[in-house]
Amino acid sequence: MVSKPEHGSGEIERMPRVVFLHPDLGIGGAERLVVDAAVALKSQGCSVQIWTAHYDPKHCFSETRDPDLPVVCVGDWLPTSVFGYLHALCAYLRMIYVAFYLVFLSSVEYDVIFCDQVSVCIPVLRLSRRRKKVLFYCHFPDQLLTQRKSALKKLYRAPIDWLEERTTGMADLILVNSQFTAGIFRETFCSLNQVHTDVLYPSLNTNTFNQLSTKAQGLQGLLPEGISHLFLSLNRYERKKNLGLALEALAVLRCSLTPGQRAGVHLVIAGGYDDRVTENVQHYIELNELAEQLHLEDCVTFMRSPSDSLKVVLLQTSTAVLYTPSREHFGIVPVEAMYCSCPVIAVNSGGPLESVADGETGFLCEPTAEAFSKAMERLIRDTRLRRDMGQAGKRRVEERFSLQAFSDQLYGYIVQLSK
């Protein structure tokens, strides 16, 4: 146990012990934040564990394979759905079980619980013999991430939505990932209007990126030869990410280029893919079919769950990242791209309004193929603009989204809660 002298006294103050609760420790923006937060607190001297209902060492961020960052998986035997339905209910039950196991069946000692995505576990955490403080990180209200096309779906979601709002308000501290999400939080959870939320922007662990950069593999054998301009879409294979926009923009772009220029343009669509998730499987097939319909088979490469090192080399060699989700809560991909000196073309809503400087580190566009293709064409035709945007993007990340700033802010919250 790491200890520090208490300021103003000769006593020894024990460092906070923090347990993270996360539903599925796979590969995604929420998982990236949880891992970065755990690494940040560990670097500050805190004792850290991550508890989850699912963890696959072959489908995770590399930091979680470090034995010094314990990952505890319980409840994976519980179903994730019932005949392809009731995903939210199953996620709630799995996280309730994880919380119950932590409180009643484990001997783990902790001071603060950091949980995200699923707030329904908070009442269970309150049952601890000695009341522990709970920090809830809201990436986005869960009830806004689902469609309600039928009366039955609305009926099913009603108690779940009520529980989400009621249990979120039970946290001792609520953090959100952007000013955009803070506004959505207030609009969605009307009964929590008086609850204070702080913004903790996701950060980028630049040390990890620098290490991966030195051992990043090349793209030989993965992409066709003769590529002069590589565009990259980096997102999970989910319909809400609007990945089809990248394909449609490429099709429009090709119409404005000469045959010689056209031959050197290529698009990589890469991102988290889990064959346990029906939507991932279905959407991957849908995107391949769309590429065929647009006659883009020879100029698009699909990659599923690329390694961290491959992701870095893709970012470093791309002309631009195409970030297609609308009203994205924050979105760590634009930050990763900017740190790799890669311009970002993103939709002009949500988190990118706070992370991307329009006209300086990239372009913020309407979510149309025409708008995206015009920005892509500008970067193809203007080498100097591309270079200047890349350099400005890296400076912006170092100034605004450093891991040190994130670590210091989060550590301050944890110390405040553990007193």
Side-chain angles (χ1 to χ4, degrees):
M1 183 66 64
V2 181
S3 299
K4 289 183 180 178
E6 186 176 10
H7 297 295
S9 77
E11 298 179 9
I12 298 297
E13 180 184 5
R14 177 174 46 75
M15 293 297 288
R17 299 164 297 183
V18 184
V19 172
F20 287 79
L21 261 60
H22 186 75
D24 186 334
L25 200 62
I27 299 175
E31 290 72 40
R32 182 69 266 170
L33 180 129
V34 167
V35 171
D36 285 345
V39 170
L41 291 179
K42 187 171 175 295
S43 72
Q44 296 275 9
C46 297
S47 169
V48 174
Q49 291 187 18
I50 302 177
W51 282 56
T52 181
H54 177 76
Y55 174 67
D56 180 355
K58 296 178 183 177
H59 184 76
C60 65
F61 289 112
S62 56
E63 294 93 334
T64 64
R65 292 192 288 268
D66 184 343
D68 290 333
L69 182 61
V71 175
V72 180
C73 181
V74 296
D76 206 5
W77 53 271
L78 289 165
T80 57
S81 67
V82 178
F83 300 114
Y85 296 97
L86 307 181
H87 290 91
L89 179 61
C90 289
Y92 275 32
L93 293 174
R94 285 162 67 92
M95 282 304 288
I96 288 172
Y97 180 81
V98 173
F100 183 87
Y101 197 105
L102 173 66
V103 172
F104 295 106
L105 302 180
S106 80
S107 57
V108 175
E109 295 289 336
Y110 54 89
D111 303 301
V112 179
I113 297 286
F114 180 116
C115 63
D116 69 317
Q117 289 193 321
V118 178
S119 59
V120 75
C121 60
I122 296 177
V124 179
L125 299 172
R126 287 275 180 262
L127 299 176
S128 176
R129 192 159 45 90
R130 294 180 179 175
R131 190 175 184 278
K132 310 295 183 180
K133 295 297 180 71
V134 178
L135 183 161
F136 184 75
Y137 192 93
C138 178
H139 304 277
F140 209 64
D142 179 65
Q143 58 190 262
L144 301 182
L145 301 177
T146 184
Q147 295 181 331
R148 302 147 199 270
K149 295 181 178 179
S150 67
L152 187 61
K153 182 68 176 286
K154 292 177 182 177
L155 185 64
Y156 160 69
R157 283 295 314 194
I160 291 176
D161 295 347
W162 181 85
L163 268 176
E164 180 187 13
E165 181 167 348
R166 187 68 182 268
T167 57
T168 296
M170 295 175 69
D172 296 288
L173 175 64
I174 300 173
L175 301 179
V176 293
N177 56 13
S178 64
Q179 296 291 350
F180 171 72
T181 299
I184 296 295
F185 183 97
R186 289 190 293 271
E187 292 173 11
T188 305
F189 300 136
C190 297
S191 68
L192 304 183
N193 273 336
Q194 303 306 313
V195 174
H196 178 72
T197 59
D198 277 356
V199 175
L200 176 64
Y201 285 119
S203 74
L204 191 64
N205 189 339
T206 55
N207 291 333
T208 299
F209 261 68
N210 294 338
Q211 292 167 6
L212 289 170
S213 178
T214 61
K215 51 187 177 182
Q217 68 223 49
L219 296 174
Q220 293 178 344
L222 296 176
L223 300 177
E225 295 182 0
I227 296 174
S228 55
H229 295 286
L230 179 66
F231 291 95
L232 174 64
S233 170
L234 196 59
N235 260 306
R236 288 192 304 276
Y237 283 93
E238 296 177 354
R239 296 182 183 96
K240 68 184 179 184
K241 300 298 184 182
N242 198 19
L243 303 180
L245 175 58
L247 291 168
E248 293 163 358
L250 177 63
V252 173
L253 172 68
R254 284 169 59 81
C255 295
S256 65
L257 301 177
T258 65
Q261 292 172 326
R262 201 179 301 156
V265 175
H266 199 83
L267 170 66
V268 169
I269 293 183
Y273 179 95
D274 189 338
D275 55 18
R276 297 177 307 121
V277 180
T278 304
E279 184 182 11
N280 288 178
V281 177
Q282 291 176 345
H283 197 43
Y284 177 79
I285 295 171
E286 292 165 358
L287 291 169
N288 275 271
E289 291 174 346
L290 178 58
E292 290 180 17
Q293 292 169 15
L294 297 172
H295 308 292
L296 299 176
E297 304 99 307
D298 297 332
C299 49
V300 177
T301 298
F302 292 92
M303 297 182 182
R304 291 174 284 189
S305 297
S307 66
D308 291 344
S309 57
L310 177 55
K311 183 174 77 171
V312 168
V313 77
L314 283 167
L315 288 167
Q316 290 174 336
T317 54
S318 292
T319 299
V321 157
L322 308 182
Y323 197 65
T324 54
S326 292
R327 291 171 61 82
E328 184 73 354
H329 332 146
F330 177 75
I332 196 63
V333 170
V335 178
E336 293 174 335
M338 289 189 295
Y339 185 72
C340 292
S341 300
C342 179
V344 179
I345 302 173
V347 175
N348 58 354
S349 67
L353 292 173
E354 298 171 52
S355 59
V356 179
D358 187 29
E360 181 183 341
T361 68
F363 296 106
L364 295 173
C365 306
E366 291 295 319
T368 65
E370 291 74 19
F372 265 65
S373 67
K374 285 180 182 177
M376 294 162 73
E377 186 176 357
R378 282 192 65 182
L379 292 173
I380 287 176
R381 298 190 186 281
D382 194 336
T383 305
R384 182 175 178 178
L385 176 65
R386 190 167 70 243
R387 185 195 65 226
D388 290 347
M389 282 188 163
Q391 292 173 351
K394 185 161 188 173
R395 288 195 301 271
R396 185 174 177 84
V397 173
E398 291 171 339
E399 292 168 2
R400 299 194 177 203
F401 302 106
S402 72
L403 183 63
Q404 190 59 53
F406 172 85
S407 176
D408 291 344
Q409 187 180 353
L410 177 59
Y411 180 66
Y413 292 130
I414 295 298
V415 170
Q416 172 189 328
L417 288 172
S418 61
K419 285 181 178 177

